[in-house]
Amino acid sequence: MASSPHRRPVPRRRTALVSAVAVVAVGLLVSLVMAFRPHDAPRTVRAAAAPAASTRQTSAGTATPTRSPKPKPSTASPTPKPTRTTPKPAKAHTASARPSPAHTTPAADARPASGAAPLAGRIKPGVTYTGVATHYDAADGNGACTYGPTSDLMIVAMNHTDYETAKACGAYISVHAGGASVTVRVTNECPECAPGALDLSEQAFAKLAALNAGRIPVTWSLLSPSTSGTISIRYKTGSSANWCGIQALGHRNPLARLEVSTGSGWRQLTRETYNYFLSESGTGCGGSLRLTDIYGEQLTVSGIAVRPDVVQATRVQFARH
């Protein structure tokens, strides 16, 4: 009896078929995953990571990452920005005709800086001026400031430039030559003298040098002297309620302004070269006056009648500086 032909076992075929189907399914799944993955994700990661590290080649030929060194902090000091300081204006002090207790006398060595006199003209406190001194016969002491005759001949004629339209009138200055010094008051003008030059009375010049010296080099500076006197007011000859000229005498510090009351405020008068303040319309003539020195101090004077060419005393004086 013939034997049956040899056959492979059926389970082996089925196993191979199942494996092939599984491989195809896995490949399809991988293709789908790759198809739906964002295309720019790898570029984004590389772009973000690129600056973080660099590479260096080792002796074995393997690239190993190296980090860029951190920048060292700067040790330079920052340059400070300049600051601007705005000075505050000094408050003016107003006084009545009666001396105020606020008018105190500071120490004798107190000297203000040039900037402490906001109304000063060419002659400023705290500044030393250099020039040449000459001398003249002062006679009775009267001069361009029209203060009138005086027995005190420690006086000086100021050069035209520093005379400054009578703004120097009444100023006290200390003059030095060598080891000698003298204090004089400005009562006159020297039109031909150069800026800084002084023309002293013979009596004042003699305190510094012999008269035959003629011309000597000097230095001089503004003073705010000690005095027990008070300021006086004089109306010019011809003054009335319709026109008047007003002059202040005996003020310790140079006078910067003279104002008259208008009833609704103050009106500043113009100073003439002969040292009178004019009210050509008569405004304020016979009324209250307000005097201001170069330091900004203000004094108010009332009760001065229009009495031409009569010196009328007040009870006020500027403070010493």
Side-chain angles (χ1 to χ4, degrees), residues 41-65:
R43 286 195 298 270
T44 303
V45 174
R46 283 196 298 270
S54 60
T55 60
R56 61 182 174 87
Q57 197 73 19
T58 64
S59 59
T62 304
T64 57

Side-chain angles (χ1 to χ4, degrees), residues 50-274:
S54 60
T55 60
R56 61 182 174 87
Q57 197 73 19
T58 64
S59 59
T62 304
T64 57
T66 59
R67 295 186 179 275
S68 301
K70 294 183 180 180
K72 295 182 179 179
S74 173
T75 57
S77 301
T79 303
K81 294 182 179 180
T83 56
R84 183 177 299 175
T85 302
T86 305
K88 297 179 181 179
K91 293 182 180 180
H93 173 73
T94 303
S96 62
R98 187 179 299 276
S100 169
H103 293 174
T104 58
T105 301
D109 59 349
R111 290 292 181 271
S114 59
L119 301 180
R122 288 184 55 85
I123 303 175
K124 296 176 171 58
V127 177
T128 299
Y129 299 88
T130 302
V132 173
T134 53
H135 59 80
Y136 75 106
D137 180 3
D140 61 3
N142 198 10
C145 295
T146 61
Y147 285 132
T150 177
S151 58
D152 181 7
L153 295 180
M154 293 295 109
I155 55 178
V156 61
M158 183 61 67
N159 67 81
H160 173 74
T161 302
D162 294 325
Y163 184 77
E164 201 175 2
T165 315
K167 195 165 187 174
C169 285
Y172 289 87
I173 62 174
S174 177
V175 187
H176 299 263
S181 65
V182 62
T183 297
V184 292
R185 183 169 60 103
V186 178
T187 62
N188 209 346
E189 179 186 14
C190 179
E192 68 276 11
C193 290
L198 304 175
D199 199 20
L200 297 164
S201 67
E202 292 178 346
Q203 291 82 350
F205 190 95
K207 299 285 185 180
L208 303 176
L211 294 181
N212 58 14
R215 296 165 57 90
I216 58 173
V218 295
T219 59
W220 55 276
S221 56
L222 183 67
L223 288 181
S224 179
S226 170
T227 178
S228 59
T230 59
I231 297 172
S232 296
I233 301 295
R234 177 165 56 194
Y235 278 92
K236 195 176 187 306
T237 301
S239 293
S240 67
N242 302 315
W243 177 96
C244 65
I246 309 172
Q247 182 184 63
L249 306 90
H251 41 85
R252 187 198 310 267
N253 306 318
L255 188 64
R257 289 198 299 252
L258 190 151
E259 299 166 282
V260 293
S261 176
T262 63
S264 60
W266 294 95
R267 177 184 172 187
Q268 184 176 342
L269 301 185
T270 301
R271 191 179 208 162
E272 300 297 325
T273 57
Y274 49 88

